[in-house]
Amino acid sequence: MSGAMTVRTVIDGIERTRDDIRRWELERSRAALTLLKDRLGDERMRELPAPDLRAADRAMAPLPEASGGAWRFRRDRDGVRGGSTPTGSWPGQGKLASGDRTALLTANPEHYLADPSDGVVEIVETIGSGPLRRFLAFHEGLPTEGEGYGTHPVRIGGTGRLADGTEAVRVMHEFRDGPRGLCVRLTIQFPASAPEHVFTGRQWHFACEFLNRAEAAHAATGATAAARPRDPRGLAPP
């Protein structure tokens, strides 16, 4: 027998499409992965990918010298329209800079560890094609350039180093309120000799992470608004 396969699914008398089931699968996969990460804990999350982390260190450590001190950057522009959270209350800012473990682990399936200590966040996440362990310190003065420079009032920049102190990555997230919602610029920098897949992989990684953070912020804003008491005229208090 050949040809296309058709599966009909009915739940509680309602026919569900393939897309319905795939959306459910995605949501539950995220929940399952988050649960496993949480139950494993930080120490096991350091131990399990240890061979991969050693390989990543061997690949990344020579890049600054091979690049002669030069860096390449990629920048992506994102925006939130339709009831987006304004820049001043964007919850991803503080959570990112503080190394909020739960926020980081749920923002991307390839986030494995976030352990803040003394202003530095130890992060294990995929960069390129495999996991990398880096120590990210947020600070002022990280250079950025290009169109729109200086137009974003909220800026979160930092430098990521390997365990041996090698500077391996620079990041800059910039936020501003626009006429149609929140405008974001996400910039990643690696030593110029880094392979192309490192840059491309990071761009997709950012796209996934930002989308999840934006949706979480929007959902949180809606939940807060719904919880506010309302007066008998149906008007929300100021």
Side-chain angles (χ1 to χ4, degrees):
M1 183 176 180
S2 61
M5 182 183 71
T6 301
V7 177
R8 183 170 180 262
T9 303
V10 178
I11 301 175
D12 289 335
I14 301 174
E15 186 164 351
R16 301 295 184 178
T17 68
R18 182 181 185 277
D19 287 344
D20 291 334
I21 297 169
R22 291 306 184 206
R23 281 192 293 270
W24 182 92
E25 179 187 31
L26 177 59
E27 291 174 1
R28 299 320 305 158
S29 296
R30 288 171 173 167
L33 186 56
T34 300
L35 176 66
L36 290 175
K37 291 175 182 177
D38 188 59
R39 293 294 185 267
L40 283 169
D42 290 350
E43 285 308 312
R44 288 292 289 154
M45 289 307 296
R46 291 183 180 94
E47 295 170 3
L48 287 172
D52 306 276
L53 300 181
R54 288 193 292 269
D57 282 349
R58 290 194 296 270
M60 295 294 290
L63 293 181
E65 183 176 352
S67 304
W71 291 75
R72 279 199 293 151
F73 76 91
R74 290 288 174 84
R75 175 173 296 127
D76 299 294
R77 295 177 179 85
D78 291 282
V80 182
R81 297 176 60 184
S84 67
T85 304
T87 297
S89 57
W90 174 251
Q93 297 172 35
K95 291 180 178 180
L96 178 68
S98 67
D100 183 298
R101 186 178 188 278
T102 300
L104 187 110
L105 293 183
T106 57
N108 192 298
E110 293 185 304
H111 286 172
Y112 303 106
L113 172 72
D115 186 12
S117 177
D118 297 327
V120 177
V121 185
E122 178 188 0
I123 297 176
V124 176
E125 62 179 338
T126 294
I127 291 185
S129 58
L132 175 75
R133 182 187 186 200
R134 60 192 171 101
F135 297 83
L136 183 61
F138 292 90
H139 57 84
E140 301 292 335
L142 193 73
T144 59
E145 58 186 62
E147 181 185 353
Y149 173 76
T151 63
H152 294 63
V154 178
R155 299 157 61 83
I156 304 173
T159 299
R161 297 182 180 275
L162 305 180
D164 67 359
T166 300
E167 185 179 0
V169 58
R170 299 170 178 172
V171 296
M172 173 62 76
H173 301 326
E174 300 172 276
F175 304 83
R176 69 175 174 85
D177 293 321
R180 294 184 293 179
L182 180 67
C183 300
V184 183
R185 298 200 321 166
L186 308 173
T187 303
I188 187 74
Q189 298 183 59
F190 293 103
S193 61
E196 184 64 21
H197 74 87
V198 171
F199 292 89
T200 303
R202 193 60 186 174
Q203 288 175 289
W204 281 98
H205 183 107
F206 269 166
C208 173
E209 180 174 343
F210 175 77
L211 176 60
N212 286 332
R213 289 186 184 276
E215 290 182 342
H218 183 65
T221 301
T224 300
R228 290 176 180 170
R230 305 183 71 86
D231 71 15
R233 298 167 297 169
L235 302 175

